[in-house]
Amino acid sequence: MTQSSNAPLRLAVLISGSGSNLQALIDHGQHQDAPFEVGLVISNRADAFGLERAARAGIPTRTLSHRGFETREAYDTALAELLHAADPGLIALAGFMRILTPGFVEQWQGRLLNIHPSLLPSYRGLHTHQRVLEAGDPVHGATVHFVTAELDGGPAILQARVPVLADDDPDRLAARVLEQEHRIYPLAARWFAEGRLALTTDGRTQLDGKPLDSPVIIDTTR
């Protein structure tokens, strides 16, 4: 990474859909005192609305469809080439509906974040809101974590907890969780850009130079 230490950290965001978490990162990065800014948005879908969000903000975009690549490795090699050319300090997955290969993750280890709509390690994968309702859980939420080769298994950094209400359906519950996603994802990116947050070589999270044995919690259930 070659950018000046005085310049905001360049953030690349990978998306597949509407990009509401992308918008939260864009908005935060446009604050005068923000330590990061979104410098590139890449989508594997040309119809992703997040591309329009980026264009409106004057942010360069790229579309790299996964169709036409024979293997995940071939796609991830092409994706890595785009990212290396942009030289971001941090990469944020924001609804990027691709399982990244271990080789790709290794290249960006410690500079790759994801946000997942559950209180990890519970409910990895898809359809988390429906699964929480079916299980009768009283609390749900979202997790920002470092990405590792294990799906949704990287060290958790920050979690927001929301109550599950008696009249919830998946859409209502998802909206409540998403509101908190927009809150915690820019915060984690800010911590990283300020040099407060890091992933150590032994795979542990540090915040302010101290081991983070459990994620920081923002609790809205009270």
Side-chain angles (χ1 to χ4, degrees):
M1 188 178 64
T2 58
Q3 70 187 62
S4 166
S5 60
N6 295 323
L9 188 79
R10 286 194 297 271
L11 179 60
V13 184
L14 308 186
I15 65 168
S16 296
S18 68
S20 68
N21 272 308
L22 164 65
Q23 188 68 60
L25 291 166
I26 291 172
D27 292 347
H28 193 95
Q30 289 177 335
H31 292 169
Q32 186 173 1
D33 65 341
F36 71 85
E37 62 183 4
V38 179
L40 176 66
V41 174
I42 301 175
S43 175
N44 66 315
R45 296 179 58 95
D47 61 350
F49 184 67
L51 293 172
E52 184 173 336
R53 294 180 188 271
R56 289 174 180 174
I59 297 168
T61 64
R62 294 290 189 92
T63 299
L64 184 67
S65 174
H66 54 278
R67 301 185 185 279
F69 289 89
E70 293 186 359
T71 64
R72 289 187 181 276
E73 288 78 9
Y75 179 84
D76 282 4
T77 296
L79 179 61
E81 290 176 357
L82 290 179
L83 288 166
H84 282 300
D87 195 24
L90 179 65
I91 301 168
L93 310 183
F96 188 58
M97 303 303 290
R98 297 280 303 169
I99 296 175
L100 298 169
T101 56
F104 179 92
V105 172
E106 184 178 356
Q107 293 181 61
W108 304 100
Q109 194 81 49
R111 288 192 288 156
L112 193 57
L113 297 183
N114 184 46
I115 188 160
H116 182 73
S118 80
L119 297 174
L120 292 173
S122 299
Y123 304 109
R124 300 180 186 185
L126 301 175
H127 311 300
T128 61
H129 313 302
Q130 180 66 46
R131 290 157 64 194
V132 164
L133 291 172
E134 289 174 351
D137 291 355
V139 176
H140 188 27
T143 305
V144 181
H145 65 95
F146 281 109
V147 176
T148 64
E150 182 182 3
L151 178 65
D152 298 330
I157 301 162
L158 182 59
Q159 290 185 331
R161 297 177 178 174
V162 304
V164 179
L165 305 180
D167 61 347
D168 270 338
D169 61 20
D171 289 340
R172 282 195 291 270
L173 183 55
R176 192 176 309 114
V177 171
L178 190 60
E179 181 179 355
Q180 295 305 314
E181 290 181 37
H182 297 164
R183 179 182 181 187
I184 63 175
Y185 212 5
L187 180 57
R190 170 178 278 273
W191 288 349
F192 185 92
E194 291 173 339
R196 298 178 58 195
L197 174 68
L199 184 68
T200 64
T201 55
D202 61 354
R204 300 183 67 186
T205 302
Q206 283 190 342
L207 183 64
D208 295 331
K210 298 178 181 179
L212 191 63
D213 295 323
S214 59
V216 176
I217 302 296
I218 294 177
D219 194 343
T220 70
T221 65
R222 298 172 183 174

